[in-house]
Amino acid sequence: MSVKTELNTLTVEDYLTGEQHSEVRHELVQGQPCAMVGTSNINNLITIALVSALRSHLRGGPCRAYMADMRVRVSDDFYYPDVTVSCTPVPGPFYFIADPVLIAEVLSESTERIDRHEKRLAYQRLTSLTSLKEYVLVTQDKVSIEVYRRLERGWELERFSENDTLRLEAVGFTIPVTDLYQDVMNVP
């Protein structure tokens, strides 16, 4: 016997209101809330290393680095990237960023497919003059970083490995790749 179930979609307003009171974070994709899972210690340590270095680099300028709990809005979808940089001042409290210049995701086994495909394609749809210039994917189980960089004619991919210096042109930032992995090199 077949069973039919009506699938309800959340409005942006209902999603934002619900998230302020929810004990579990959710991304919103095509009106459907998707619960977020926790991260590993390695994921967390790499994220902290990147956001700390970015915060230090950006201090005193117009850009701000955000970590994990700040949503990014892409049309009516909302995602929680590991690291986001925005250079647009927003007065008062706000709960999402609509115009990031840089987004970084630390890949895990459970999120890699979504981060590489769904989120990358969604983020690349941000097209305002101040929107996304670089999308960074940091591998947590080996020393490897990919930077998708917006060009006038489309996107390019640059890969960085252990002996390289990571360049994030959107914010004029460089750092030895191994600095981001320093705390996790000997973590089992």
Side-chain angles (χ1 to χ4, degrees):
M1 177 171 158
S2 68
V3 177
K4 292 182 181 180
T5 304
E6 186 175 331
L7 298 176
N8 296 318
T9 58
L10 283 178
T11 66
V12 168
E13 295 75 21
D14 288 344
Y15 165 74
L16 291 172
T17 300
E19 274 301 277
Q20 288 183 25
H21 304 290
S22 177
E23 293 181 18
V24 177
R25 295 181 311 156
H26 298 84
E27 294 184 329
L28 184 69
V29 181
Q30 297 182 1
Q32 299 299 310
C34 305
M36 300 293 297
V37 298
T39 63
S40 71
N41 61 333
I42 292 174
N43 183 302
N44 198 273
L45 289 168
I46 293 170
T47 300
I48 289 169
L50 179 57
V51 81
S52 296
L54 281 167
R55 181 180 183 276
S56 224
H57 171 73
L58 298 171
R59 187 174 293 134
C63 301
R64 300 284 179 266
Y66 299 91
M67 188 173 122
D69 286 333
M70 181 55 69
R71 285 179 293 266
V72 169
R73 182 175 186 169
V74 180
S75 187
D76 286 343
D77 294 342
F78 292 83
Y79 298 98
Y80 282 98
D82 291 317
V83 178
T84 307
V85 175
S86 177
C87 298
T88 304
V90 179
F94 59 100
Y95 300 97
F96 63 85
I97 294 170
D99 58 353
V101 296
L102 184 141
I103 293 174
E105 296 281 9
V106 178
L107 302 175
S108 69
E109 191 175 312
S110 64
T111 66
E112 182 172 3
R113 186 184 59 76
I114 292 168
D115 292 340
R116 284 189 179 284
H117 301 288
E118 175 190 318
K119 287 185 178 185
R120 179 178 58 84
L121 295 173
Y123 295 147
Q124 288 177 342
R125 289 193 329 253
L126 293 166
T127 57
S128 74
L129 295 176
T130 59
S131 68
L132 190 67
K133 306 228 182 317
E134 290 172 319
Y135 180 53
V136 182
L137 296 174
V138 182
T139 304
Q140 70 174 319
D141 57 355
K142 65 180 178 179
V143 180
S144 175
I145 299 174
E146 298 173 2
V147 177
Y148 290 86
R149 191 172 291 117
R150 185 185 299 268
L151 305 172
E152 283 186 32
R153 63 189 180 282
W155 290 83
E156 73 176 4
L157 170 60
E158 186 173 7
R159 290 185 169 93
F160 298 88
S161 58
E162 191 168 349
N163 296 318
D164 295 329
T165 296
L166 174 64
R167 290 180 306 101
L168 299 178
E169 295 173 4
V171 292
F173 175 75
T174 61
I175 188 170
V177 169
T178 52
D179 284 9
L180 298 178
Y181 290 88
Q182 185 175 10
D183 291 339
V184 300
M185 291 292 202
N186 296 315
V187 173

